[in-house]
Amino acid sequence: MKKADDSVIHQKPPWSLWPTTRRAWIRLACLIGTTAGGIAFAGWYTMSMPKSSYRGELPPLDEEALRVEKALRDDVHVLAMEIGERNLAHVDLLRRAEAFLVESFGEAGYRPELQELRVGEKLARNIEVEIVGGEHASEIVVIGAHYDSAHGPAANDNASGTAALLELARWASSQRFARTVRFVAFVNEEPPYFQVPGQMGSEVYAARCRSRQEDIVAMLSLETLGYYDDRPGSQRYPWPFSWFYPSRGDFVAFVGDLGSRSLVRRAIGAFRADTAFPSEGIALPGSIAGVDWSDHWSFWQHGFEAIMVTDTAIFRYPYYHRLQDTPDKIDFEGLARVVVGLRDVITTLASR
């Protein structure tokens, strides 16, 4: 006679796996509660930000904001339309962009310093200007943006961030801070140099800061800052963040890794304190898509706190890395509001 299969005889029905005693039920409840509590804490830790995002009708731009808007429009036009695609594949145009930035910084009263890096036979340069601080001059705040482009005019990625960098530097030239403030235009952020040590401009710069044992206490990367859309569904996210953040792409985002959480919170708190423009902030593991997609990544690699300020780029902007990334796509009024708000962020970070 055929023997029964032992695996069939001893197989338990699914319902027999449920707890059968009061103690077992308590253990299951504790496990579920602990897991839910852990998830809730993780959500609070990564997404909880000071103050509230601005909501409601935006007030008219005042005279100063209108001046900022015009300056941003002019600088983006030069970089995107008069110069165009600026990278090591088009070295002559990259040199023109470099010369424009050096001249613009000089007109604002700075003495730009160039940091050279070689990629094969080609030479690229970061451009740095500095305001030496007062009683805490050894502590340094870096504001950076990359001026190179991937393809075409690259008006938003990243002429918008570069124009913001220039305008903030112009404003800061008449300010005095406790900490030293540097404004740096980085080269070679875009592929094929992105996140390549020794070839990405910001990585070379951050490595030098570390080798000099400089005390970089905060770094802000101004990345793709000019596109805002208040239509429902205009904003996308990696899963599952669409459950927690707005579906309208009408806000500026402050993004950092977990090690830079305190910097994210301080920066967005300063922005929200007196800026009538929507903002969202988050601190996440750097491995999540999009979190490390700019020059702040370079500073993480060398142990510095750094964050990205952005319109979220590919998660909102339909012309990301396309030839259609032209100045007519940029909301210069929104960009001006963000730039004026970033003055408060710089003042806060540089005051200690």
Side-chain angles (χ1 to χ4, degrees):
M1 183 169 62
K2 186 176 181 182
K3 291 183 65 177
D5 188 343
D6 286 345
S7 65
V8 174
I9 293 174
H10 295 294
Q11 187 174 10
K12 296 181 179 180
W15 56 85
S16 68
L17 300 178
W18 286 99
T20 57
T21 67
R22 184 171 180 273
R23 177 175 293 182
W25 276 108
I26 291 174
R27 288 176 178 171
L28 179 61
C30 289
L31 176 62
I32 294 172
T34 301
T35 302
I39 293 172
F41 175 78
W44 170 84
Y45 189 81
T46 60
M47 294 183 283
S48 174
M49 294 293 144
K51 301 182 172 56
S52 298
S53 176
Y54 180 84
R55 290 291 178 260
E57 186 176 350
L58 299 177
L61 294 182
D62 61 19
E63 185 176 345
E64 171 62 8
L66 288 170
R67 185 201 64 76
V68 170
E69 180 186 11
K70 182 181 184 306
L72 293 166
R73 192 182 298 272
D74 291 346
D75 289 341
V76 168
H77 180 81
V78 171
L79 288 164
M81 304 310 293
E82 294 184 20
I83 297 175
E85 186 167 330
R86 44 207 182 273
N87 50 47
L88 285 178
H90 299 82
V91 175
D92 56 333
L93 298 180
L94 188 66
R95 290 286 175 269
R96 286 181 59 190
E98 177 190 304
F100 168 69
L101 293 171
V102 168
E103 181 182 6
S104 297
F105 282 130
E107 289 174 349
Y110 295 98
R111 287 187 170 185
E113 293 191 6
L114 304 183
Q115 179 190 22
E116 296 184 348
L117 55 147
R118 285 200 171 273
V119 179
E121 297 299 316
K122 296 180 179 179
L123 190 67
R125 297 183 179 95
N126 295 322
I127 307 163
E128 173 197 271
V129 299
E130 180 180 83
I131 301 170
V132 177
E135 59 267 37
H136 302 292
S138 63
E139 299 173 0
I140 302 166
V141 176
V142 175
I143 315 299
H146 72 89
Y147 68 95
D148 63 311
S149 66
H151 306 290
N156 198 26
D157 183 17
N158 189 36
S160 65
T162 306
L165 181 77
L166 283 175
E167 186 52 33
L168 288 167
R170 293 184 186 112
W171 159 79
S173 66
S174 62
Q175 308 297 308
R176 293 297 173 263
F177 306 106
R179 288 169 162 166
T180 293
V181 177
R182 292 179 184 169
F183 296 91
V184 189
F186 296 118
V187 74
N188 288 7
E189 188 269 355
E190 298 288 4
Y193 313 110
F194 182 64
Q195 296 189 356
V196 178
Q199 297 187 12
M200 184 178 182
S202 57
E203 193 280 329
V204 173
Y205 183 88
R208 188 181 72 177
C209 291
R210 177 54 67 198
S211 69
R212 292 178 173 180
Q213 298 184 324
E214 292 180 331
D215 187 11
I216 308 297
V217 296
M219 186 273 175
L220 269 62
S221 174
L222 309 179
E223 174 65 56
T224 314
L225 272 176
Y227 188 77
Y228 302 96
D229 190 339
D230 62 3
R231 294 174 299 175
S234 56
Q235 182 67 50
R236 296 176 291 110
Y237 305 90
W239 185 90
F241 299 103
S242 59
W243 298 351
F244 308 103
Y245 286 94
S247 67
R248 302 172 189 266
D250 62 351
F251 60 89
V252 64
F254 292 73
V255 181
D257 66 352
L258 296 177
S260 303
R261 177 178 179 266
S262 62
L263 178 57
V264 176
R265 288 176 55 81
R266 193 173 185 202
I268 199 170
F271 184 87
R272 288 175 170 179
D274 197 36
T275 304
F277 195 80
S279 58
E280 300 293 340
I282 196 166
L284 292 168
S287 58
I288 293 178
V291 174
D292 64 351
W293 288 355
S294 192
D295 293 300
H296 56 304
W297 171 88
S298 300
F299 288 78
W300 294 347
Q301 306 314 299
H302 295 280
F304 302 119
E305 286 190 51
I307 66 174
M308 172 173 56
V309 186
T310 179
D311 66 12
T312 74
I314 196 171
F315 297 108
R316 177 189 308 173
Y317 190 49
Y319 310 104
Y320 178 78
H321 281 192
R322 296 174 63 182
L323 296 179
Q324 294 83 3
D325 181 6
T326 48
D328 58 296
K329 310 302 192 309
I330 292 180
D331 175 1
F332 284 99
E333 180 179 323
L335 179 57
R337 294 178 190 276
V338 169
V339 169
V340 172
L342 287 174
R343 294 176 178 180
D344 292 335
V345 176
I346 294 171
T347 300
T348 296
L349 296 179
S351 65
R352 207 186 197 214

